[in-house]
Amino acid sequence: MTFGSTGYDIAHLLGGGILLLSFVLLYQRRLDAVINAFAVQGGLLAAAAAWQAYVQAAPGLYITALLAFGAKALLIPLALRLLLRRLGLHRTVETALGIGPSLLAAVALVGLAVMVVLPVTAGQAQAVTRENLALALSVLLLGMLMMIARRNAISQVIGLLSLENGLILAAIGAQGMPLVVELSTAALVLMLALVAGIVVFLLRDRMATLDTGLLDRQRGEGP
């Protein structure tokens, strides 16, 4: 793909959309809106993988696109919504850093990603690959920022999953990546384990401990 071509423009439109959704995740104040934004980001990631599969003539990337769509756009958001509804969680996002400072920090991190990636890769890769890596690193850093700036367990896990979206975006943009399908499958297993781990975080938030001995005392079985 070369600058100004359709493949170049669409690839960067999708990558830019994924980065924009990272800003939306930081901006939202309600958990249900955060989950919705993450689902849209997962859909865009799947579209980006499918587009790279088409322009690179790499059928394996279609598997990555299906995994990303099924897990990130459908299954995980659905599981998170069910947890919110069933456990009656407080739906307002608790922040360790305000929305304004979070967005300012996010802009600074994007600038840092561009300053690091573009000079280092100058003359060593195609323009589309270099810029895709800059977008991917930006998404990764904003996912880390969300984990730091949010106190709620669900929003922190979404930040970690958004960070992983940046890793997948970097992998699909590197032409000839031979292990991308295996990496995607391993990532899916990791995501499912993380969703299961949300329950542990919720127990800690609601009971102020992870000691299961407390459950025995509640049933009258303990000392």
Side-chain angles (χ1 to χ4, degrees):
M1 289 182 286
T2 59
F3 179 78
S5 66
T6 301
Y8 181 97
D9 292 340
I10 293 179
H12 282 83
L13 177 64
L14 294 171
I18 293 171
L19 177 58
L20 178 62
L21 264 297
S22 293
F23 279 94
V24 173
L25 288 172
L26 287 168
Y27 176 77
Q28 295 298 334
R29 298 176 182 270
R30 294 181 60 83
L31 284 175
D32 50 358
V34 171
I35 294 173
N36 291 337
F38 174 73
V40 176
Q41 188 183 56
L44 285 179
L45 180 65
W51 180 251
Q52 290 289 347
Y54 172 73
V55 297
Q56 296 182 27
L61 288 178
Y62 286 115
I63 299 177
T64 301
L66 288 174
L67 288 172
F69 183 78
K72 299 293 188 75
L74 296 178
L75 295 180
I76 291 178
L78 178 61
L80 294 176
R81 292 189 189 101
L82 290 175
L83 280 174
L84 286 181
R85 188 180 305 114
R86 179 164 298 183
L87 298 178
L89 297 176
H90 188 54
R91 293 177 179 268
T92 301
V93 175
E94 299 178 6
T95 62
L97 187 65
I99 299 297
S102 295
L103 293 177
L104 289 176
V107 172
L109 289 174
V110 171
L112 176 64
V114 173
M115 292 175 60
V116 168
V117 172
L118 295 187
V120 170
T121 58
Q124 301 179 16
Q126 296 181 359
V128 65
T129 301
R130 296 172 60 219
E131 294 169 16
N132 187 76
L133 288 175
L135 289 171
L137 180 58
S138 299
V139 173
L140 187 151
L141 292 176
L142 266 59
M144 294 178 62
L145 175 62
M146 185 173 180
M147 294 175 62
I148 296 171
R150 299 294 178 265
R151 292 176 177 170
N152 181 273
I154 288 183
S155 58
Q156 289 174 348
V157 170
I158 289 178
L160 182 57
L161 294 174
S162 179
L163 180 155
E164 187 196 20
N165 286 347
L167 295 176
I168 296 176
L169 182 62
I172 64 177
Q175 295 189 12
M177 175 67 74
L179 298 178
V180 68
V181 176
E182 290 82 358
L183 290 174
S184 300
T185 304
L188 178 58
V189 174
L190 174 61
M191 287 186 294
L192 294 177
L194 286 173
V195 172
I198 291 176
V199 177
V200 177
F201 285 111
L202 294 176
L203 286 174
R204 184 190 65 184
D205 290 341
R206 293 170 66 87
M207 304 177 66
T209 180
L210 291 177
D211 184 4
T212 56
L214 179 62
L215 299 177
D216 295 333
R217 292 194 293 272
Q218 292 293 330
R219 294 196 299 265
E221 300 175 3

